[in-house]
């Protein structure tokens, strides 16, 4: 089983999407969960928020067209476990998300599909968002190993939990290959579980 | 030092530590529904893999299923396609499948316990964040994404980091008219919607000890709304009594041996926790959400908070919430007019929930202009409720009585809010757009409170309605 590509550095322009507790229903409304593939999800990311703002959503702002780094606030991706949310962002061209904090299932889903979520202190997120407002063409470089986000203006300290960092830097962010490696050990584990052995 | 249930169950299911530091965890029970599984089965097929432990995966249909018209093919072509996909996937992989023809169909988190599949000491995964529900039995139960559904299908394992553990003790007694739903909304309101990120929640204390399994499931169900992926209650005599005699439960001598093992798993008196929070049940009133996440909640006799009362980051979210909800800061929560009343979902559509709602509805009449529906959590609950005559109470009061499914909890079937309707709902999420209309508005509350709101046409304090 082959592993994925090593992900150590992501370079791109950023787009600020402000607000705390942005849930996965908002990232991709449930009506798009009716498709049996992830393929067509990209254009529908944040659809209802964008429609409500009638062109004023940052994702519709021409200054941010083509940005690959989402810059968000607290508890991003809370709510439903739908992998459709990170899949929609990935398919829209988002390659990394920088934010104050992430909901756990969302974070794990992102790791599994090779989409790094990087946390920064609130004041740094705020200054990065302000920078993007002023200079939407600014380039951000996210360095996973050094745990920092670098701009022309300087470097911001960032954090990627050790397990996710190891996964991205070794290219083993999709766990399936490793989980398939040791069927004997899996069998041995199941053989000591009373509810599988008939008590 | 005594171990916690989390430690014991985790260690027993650990296959190995992966190079990235996470655990390769064996999953004892895997539950599957139609919405988050088709891509996983497809990924499996693309890699030439088969389901590794087909006897440990069980499937049903709940999210997209219509709860009114039943004829196949469904009028909704996409629902039909999704059904065809799961039927094909369970057939090819030879998986047990509880569809409507079995009489055992229902919301995945309702039927797992009901069939006796959910048992203490198991690790449980499902491509659905409310898998935390199963923790009510002393299982360690995770919601996972579709790639992890694929992992569990292919290997019966997932890669996961062990969470920290917070014990939440609710002591004392609940007042009349206050239910498990109010307790969990109060907990989320106190600790915040991200207070549980990185934690598992162990719920205990005299209030939890005295709760039925239905009530414990309501509590554990909404752990994820508090940010905690896992929530559980230690198994006890109540747990055993619930499981005994169910279809997939051990029987006879096996049951005795199983029960002894289950009890041995409970966190011991000197077990250590990363954090402990205590609350007094007497402080909890019937709760109602006023915003767009379940932490934006207050007592029914309270007011929508003023923005001045909210400091810091919560304030921006609150402003957005009040705008979406069109609610004036400082107005009383009681009296907010509603258009729709929904009793249903994996939080509150079990038999005891329907009984509580029916008790309020009995002899009353749904207010003019309010659409009210009751959607039982499973076919079996529906049948039991009918045997008890609850459907007649609801129908006489003007509620629609539906077939089992998720229905208006997430509006993937035809049950949706229209425009900016306001819905009193016994479900678990009041997110913008959650109930099918981007401008729709959701007020979360207990099933009894939903019934009270349906009759009053506005948010009403169930304590007064029952008393009068
Ligand atoms: S009832 Fe609602 S929360 Fe529960 S599984 Fe169905 S959609 Fe999810």
């Amino acid at each position: 089983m082959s592993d994925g590509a090593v992900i150590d550095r992501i370079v791109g322009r950023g787009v600020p999407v402000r607000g705390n507790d942005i849930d996965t229903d908002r990232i991709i409304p449930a009506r798009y969960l009716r498709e049996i593939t992830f393929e067509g999800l990209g254009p529908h990311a944040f659809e209802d928020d964008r429609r409500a703002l009638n062109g004023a959503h940052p994702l519709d702002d021409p200054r941010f067209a083509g940005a690959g780094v989402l810059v968000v606030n607290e508890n991003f991706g809370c709510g439903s476990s739908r992998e459709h949310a990170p899949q929609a962002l990935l398919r829209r061209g988002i390659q990394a998300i920088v934010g104050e904090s992430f909901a756990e299932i969302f974070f794990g889903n992102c790791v599994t599909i090779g989409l790094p979520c990087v946390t920064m202190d609130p004041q740094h997120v705020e200054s990065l968002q302000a920078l993007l407002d002023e200079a939407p063409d600014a380039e951000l470089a996210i360095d996973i190993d050094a745990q920092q986000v670098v701009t022309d203006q300087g470097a911001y300290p960032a954090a990627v939990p050790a397990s996710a960092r190891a996964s991205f830097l070794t290219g083993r962010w999709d766990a399936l290959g490793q989980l398939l490696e040791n069927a004997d050990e899996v069998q041995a584990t199941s053989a000591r579980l009373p509810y599988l052995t008939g008590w | 030092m005594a171990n916690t249930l989390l430690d014991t169950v985790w260690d027993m299911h650990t296959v190995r530590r992966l190079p990235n530091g996470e655990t390769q965890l064996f999953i004892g029970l895997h539950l599957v529904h139609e919405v988050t599984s088709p891509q996983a089965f497809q990924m499996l097929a693309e890699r030439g893999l088969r389901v590794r432990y087909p006897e440990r995966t069980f499937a049903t249909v709940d999210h997209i299923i219509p709860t009114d018209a039943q004829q196949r093919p469904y009028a909704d072509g996409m629902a039909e396609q999704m059904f065809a996909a799961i039927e094909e996937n369970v057939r090819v992989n030879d998986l047990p499948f509880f569809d409507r023809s079995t009489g055992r169909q229902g919301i995945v988190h309702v039927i797992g316990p009901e069939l006796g599949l959910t048992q203490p000491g198991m690790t449980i995964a499902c491509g659905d964040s409310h898998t935390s529900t199963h923790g009510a039995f002393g299982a360690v139960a995770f919601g996972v994404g579709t790639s992890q559904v694929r992992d569990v299908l292919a290997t019966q394992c997932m890669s996961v980091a062990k969470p920290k553990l917070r014990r939440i003790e609710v002591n004392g007694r609940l007042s009349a008219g206050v239910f498990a739903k109010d307790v969990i909304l109060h907990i989320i309101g106190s600790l915040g919607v991200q207070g549980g990120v990185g934690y598992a929640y162990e719920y205990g204390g005299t209030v939890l000890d005295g709760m039925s399994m239905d009530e414990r499931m309501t509590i554990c169900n909404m752990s994820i709304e508090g940010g905690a992926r896992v929530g559980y209650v230690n198994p006890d005599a109540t747990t055993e009594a619930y499981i005994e005699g169910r279809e997939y439960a051990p029987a006879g001598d096996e049951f005795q041996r199983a029960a002894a093992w289950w009890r041995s798993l409970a966190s011991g008196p000197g077990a250590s926790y990363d954090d402990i929070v205590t609350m007094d049940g007497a402080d909890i009133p019937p709760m109602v959400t006023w915003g767009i996440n379940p932490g934006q909640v207050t007592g029914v006799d309270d007011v929508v908070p003023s923005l001045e009362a909210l400091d810091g980051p919560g304030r921006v979210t609150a402003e957005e919430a009040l705008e979406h909800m069109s609610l004036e800061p400082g107005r009383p929560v009681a009296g907010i007019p509603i258009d729709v009343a929904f009793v249903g979902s994996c939080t509150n559509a079990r038999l005891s929930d329907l009984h509580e709602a029916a008790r309020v509805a009995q002899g009353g009449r749904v207010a003019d202009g309010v659409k009210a529906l009751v959607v039982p959590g499973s076919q079996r609950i529906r049948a039991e409720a009918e045997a008890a005559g609850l459907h007649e109470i609801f129908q006489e009061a003007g509620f629609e009585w539906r077939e089992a499914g998720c229905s208006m909890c997430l509006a993937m079937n035809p049950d949706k809010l229209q425009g900016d309707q306001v819905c009193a709902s016994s479900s678990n999420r009041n997110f913008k757009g959650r109930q099918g209309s981007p401008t729709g508005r959701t007020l979360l509350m207990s099933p009894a409170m939903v019934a009270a709101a349906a009759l009053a046409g506005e948010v009403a304090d169930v304590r007064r309605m029952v008393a009068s």
Side-chain angles (χ1 to χ4, degrees), chain A residues 17-27 46 49 72-80 99-104 106 129, chain B residues 188 191-197 224-227 290-296 310-321 429-432:
Chain A
V17 175
R18 289 185 170 84
N20 293 338
D21 309 311
I22 292 183
D23 58 77
T24 53
D25 274 82
R26 284 171 67 180
I27 300 172
F46 283 106
D49 279 9
V72 302
N73 297 99
E74 249 177 40
N75 200 27
F76 187 78
C78 61
S80 157
E100 292 172 41
S101 61
F102 296 91
E104 204 167 318
F106 178 84
Q129 288 175 334
Chain B
I188 297 166
L191 301 179
V193 288
Q194 56 170 317
V197 173
I224 187 65
E225 268 62 63
W290 50 265
I292 55 172
N293 72 52
Q296 293 173 323
L310 300 157
D311 276 347
R315 180 168 171 151
V316 183
T317 319
E319 277 173 19
E320 188 185 350
R429 287 188 174 142
N430 51 345
F431 299 154
K432 279 184 178 178

Side-chain angles (χ1 to χ4, degrees), chain B residues 278-303:
Chain B
T278 8
M279 300 180 183
D280 187 346
D283 294 342
I284 305 175
M287 304 291 284
V288 179
T289 61
W290 50 265
I292 55 172
N293 72 52
Q296 293 173 323
V297 65
T298 190
V300 65
D301 38 18
D302 213 332
V303 295

Side-chain angles (χ1 to χ4, degrees), chain B residues 254-331:
Chain B
E254 280 200 344
F255 182 82
Q256 297 311 324
R257 293 202 297 276
W261 182 65
W262 295 340
R263 286 204 183 196
S264 76
L265 300 169
S267 301
S272 82
Y273 297 90
D274 298 290
D275 189 28
I276 298 179
V277 175
T278 8
M279 300 180 183
D280 187 346
D283 294 342
I284 305 175
M287 304 291 284
V288 179
T289 61
W290 50 265
I292 55 172
N293 72 52
Q296 293 173 323
V297 65
T298 190
V300 65
D301 38 18
D302 213 332
V303 295
V304 175
S306 68
L307 290 170
E308 294 73 50
L310 300 157
D311 276 347
R315 180 168 171 151
V316 183
T317 319
E319 277 173 19
E320 188 185 350
L322 293 179
E323 192 190 327
H324 181 80
M325 301 299 291
S326 323
L327 288 174
E328 283 296 308
R331 72 146 292 159

Side-chain angles (χ1 to χ4, degrees), chain B residues 63 107 109 128 130 345-346 406 409-410 428 434:
Chain B
H63 281 64
I107 304 173
H109 310 307
D128 194 285
H130 292 100
S345 90
C346 58
C406 295
C409 175
L410 94 164
N428 45 46
R434 172 74 177 183

Side-chain angles (χ1 to χ4, degrees), chain B residues 209-230:
Chain B
D209 292 345
M211 278 185 176
S212 69
M213 291 314 297
D214 282 8
E215 295 172 301
R216 293 177 188 180
M217 284 189 259
T218 299
I219 301 270
C220 290
N221 175 271
M222 289 189 71
S223 302
I224 187 65
E225 268 62 63
R229 192 176 186 181
V230 168

